[in-house]
Amino acid sequence: DQQVKQNSPSLSVQEGRISILNCDYTNSMFDYFLWYKKYPAEGPTFLISISSIKDKNEDGRFTVFLNKSAKHLSLHIVPSQPGDSAVYFCAASWKLTTGGSEKLVFGKGTKLTVNP
Amino acid sequence: DAGVIQSPRHEVTEMGQEVTLRCKPISGHDYLFWYRQTMMRGLELLIYFNNNVPIDDSGMPEDRFSAKMPNASFSTLKIQPSEPRDSAVYFCASRTSFHNEQFFGPGTRLTVL
């Protein structure tokens, strides 16, 4: 039962163009979403996040969009650079009744290749 | 800050041997998570601790796996006996109570022959 799905295992774009990575989720209790980037032989590093009370969050070249009705979020990278080539993981969490949030549920990742 | 530290970075062992993976979380972080990454299953949570107490171990695959956190700056994940299907990259991550973002270590690549 995969609650967070990244249906595209890989994506290839040209340098300077836009990269769009997609993520779908099934659990309506999720209220916080994150994107992580992972280079080979390194651990995932946090990239950007969004709360369910927002539909967009921007940080430099990176923007995350959230569509709650569709249970869908996307990460836009513009302009794409060769250094952005990595595996991108979508993750989601939810608040417990006690108020805190605990676990992150990860998608399986999308490998982005940005060609010079 | 040195970030999350994991050791060893690589471990090669033979089936049936005991394997111990180590993790030092970021100072001041009160949550610690152990993950396993495989091609088939992706990044899956094994167990996590809050203030050194195990909260949820439902992801631990079987009794051969155990984890401890004797203090706020150290945790171990032990596999005994190890099997070839345990071969994977094991990550440790930590965070504070106030943020959802987890910070990951570089991982331990385990190969069981």
Side-chain angles (χ1 to χ4, degrees):
Chain A
D1 177 21
Q2 220 182 329
Q3 298 185 69
V4 178
K5 299 180 182 179
Q6 294 178 255
N7 292 319
S8 297
S10 62
L11 175 68
S12 184
V13 300
Q14 283 299 120
E15 181 178 5
R17 304 295 287 269
I18 185 171
S19 296
I20 300 176
L21 297 103
N22 294 303
C23 178
D24 297 296
Y25 61 96
T26 57
N27 190 338
S28 57
M29 297 294 290
F30 288 144
D31 60 1
Y32 197 82
F33 304 88
L34 308 88
W35 285 93
Y36 280 79
K37 180 168 72 172
K38 185 183 180 304
Y39 293 119
E42 295 183 11
T45 56
F46 170 71
L47 189 59
I48 192 170
S49 63
I50 188 167
S51 166
S52 61
I53 62 174
K54 296 184 176 181
D55 54 19
K56 176 183 174 181
N57 188 27
E58 193 171 352
D59 183 2
R61 296 185 298 114
F62 302 90
T63 302
V64 56
F65 295 91
L66 175 62
N67 183 334
K68 289 189 292 294
S69 61
K71 293 191 178 67
H72 177 83
L73 64 155
S74 61
L75 174 68
H76 293 212
I77 307 172
V78 56
S80 302
Q81 299 173 354
D84 297 329
S85 297
V87 177
Y88 288 79
F89 291 96
C90 171
S93 69
W94 68 96
K95 277 192 169 48
L96 302 176
T97 52
T98 51
S101 61
E102 300 276 322
K103 302 189 286 191
L104 291 181
V105 179
F106 283 84
K108 290 194 173 182
T110 297
K111 183 177 181 180
L112 173 65
T113 302
V114 181
N115 301 301
Chain B
D1 197 328
V4 176
I5 298 173
Q6 290 187 248
S7 64
R9 292 294 311 273
H10 302 273
E11 176 80 36
V12 180
T13 190
E14 292 189 347
M15 182 173 64
Q17 297 297 307
E18 177 180 296
V19 175
T20 299
L21 311 181
R22 296 171 176 81
C23 175
K24 176 179 168 55
I26 293 172
S27 177
H29 285 194
D30 48 7
Y31 280 86
L32 184 139
F33 303 81
W34 281 101
Y35 291 89
R36 178 172 68 176
Q37 184 185 24
T38 60
M39 289 294 293
M40 288 295 294
R41 301 176 67 88
L43 197 62
E44 51 180 343
L45 177 66
L46 300 177
I47 184 172
Y48 74 94
F49 296 82
N50 178 220
N51 290 321
N52 315 335
V53 176
I55 302 299
D56 184 348
D57 65 355
S58 60
M60 297 286 259
E62 45 196 282
D63 291 345
R64 298 184 296 106
F65 286 70
S66 63
K68 294 182 179 179
M69 192 165 185
N71 57 63
S73 59
F74 184 66
S75 177
T76 59
L77 178 67
K78 186 175 294 186
I79 308 172
Q80 165 64 15
S82 58
E83 295 183 4
R85 60 193 168 120
D86 301 331
S87 297
V89 181
Y90 291 80
F91 290 103
C92 176
S94 69
R95 70 166 174 87
T96 70
S97 296
F98 310 105
H99 299 97
N100 286 333
E101 297 81 9
Q102 296 179 15
F103 294 84
F104 283 77
T108 295
R109 180 173 293 277
L110 173 65
T111 303
V112 183
L113 302 174

